[in-house]
Amino acid sequence: MQEILPCCGSKTWATNMASKRPIADERSMLATSDAIWGSLGEADWLEAFESHPRIGESRAEHAAPAQSSAWSEQEQQKAAAADEAMKTALKWGNREYELKFGRIFIVCATGKSASEILEILRRRLQNDPATELRQAAEEQRQVMQIRIRKWLAG
């Protein structure tokens, strides 16, 4: 269970994934992950979200496995290269999001620039809480797919 935990951050998800071993191949692993993720509730989703640092930051507020932190840094590479004005805008956007929804902003940041992420954040601030929770869970699912592929590649 601990080996796969950096792919998600939810202990329930990781325990369920470990209980399905052996899993034949990558496609089966990704499908199993999606099925388990879709069966989890809000508390498990929130636990997974807490394993991420805010966009523009390098460390999660709650303890996260070292591999998870390293992957987050890679995923946010383009956003980290932004100028100070953009970093400040992301910081304020993160703060506004947290005030509205009570959790950090989750986005699959891989390959996205800081301006793209800020545009997504601003658009999602218009969501109602239930819609946004589902969107955040979908973004987390996308992150998990990328991380599982990395984890399998070793």
Side-chain angles (χ1 to χ4, degrees), residues 1-2 4-15 37 40 43-52 62-65 68 71 140 143-144 147:
M1 188 269 297
Q2 291 298 325
I4 200 165
L5 188 60
C7 295
C8 176
S10 162
K11 291 181 181 91
T12 302
W13 174 87
T15 299
W37 183 246
L40 299 180
D44 296 310
W45 291 350
L46 294 174
E47 181 183 27
F49 300 166
E50 289 175 352
S51 70
H52 293 276
H62 300 277
S68 180
W71 283 336
Q140 172 68 33
V143 169
M144 290 159 46
R147 289 182 175 193

Side-chain angles (χ1 to χ4, degrees), residues 80-92:
D83 64 27
E84 286 307 310
M86 183 58 66
K87 287 179 181 177
T88 299
L90 281 169
K91 180 179 177 181
W92 284 104

Side-chain angles (χ1 to χ4, degrees), residues 1-4 11-23 29 32 36:
M1 188 269 297
Q2 291 298 325
E3 308 87 47
I4 200 165
K11 291 181 181 91
T12 302
W13 174 87
T15 299
N16 285 329
M17 286 294 290
S19 75
K20 302 294 184 187
R21 289 186 291 188
I23 300 175
M29 175 82 79
T32 300
I36 291 169

Side-chain angles (χ1 to χ4, degrees), residues 85-146:
M86 183 58 66
K87 287 179 181 177
T88 299
L90 281 169
K91 180 179 177 181
W92 284 104
N94 281 331
R95 189 167 290 159
E96 185 178 353
Y97 183 96
E98 289 174 27
L99 286 172
K100 181 172 182 177
F101 297 112
R103 62 179 175 275
I104 70 163
F105 172 66
I106 298 292
V107 65
C108 184
T110 301
K112 291 179 179 73
S113 69
S115 61
E116 289 172 296
I117 292 170
L118 184 60
E119 181 182 319
I120 292 166
L121 189 155
R122 287 178 174 155
R123 186 174 61 244
R124 286 178 44 197
L125 277 166
Q126 306 310 309
N127 288 341
D128 63 82
T131 299
E132 181 51 29
L133 178 62
R134 287 189 303 276
Q135 181 62 51
E138 171 55 22
E139 296 289 330
Q140 172 68 33
R141 187 196 68 77
Q142 293 173 27
V143 169
M144 290 159 46
Q145 295 274 306
I146 293 167

Side-chain angles (χ1 to χ4, degrees), residues 27-79:
R27 193 159 86 189
S28 298
M29 175 82 79
L30 296 172
T32 300
S33 172
D34 283 352
I36 291 169
W37 183 246
S39 73
L40 299 180
E42 183 176 343
D44 296 310
W45 291 350
L46 294 174
E47 181 183 27
F49 300 166
E50 289 175 352
S51 70
H52 293 276
R54 289 176 183 89
I55 295 294
E57 295 183 7
S58 59
R59 292 204 173 130
E61 202 167 286
H62 300 277
Q67 183 61 67
S68 180
S69 297
W71 283 336
S72 289
E73 192 172 320
Q74 291 170 2
E75 292 157 3
Q76 294 191 37
Q77 209 167 22
K78 280 186 134 183

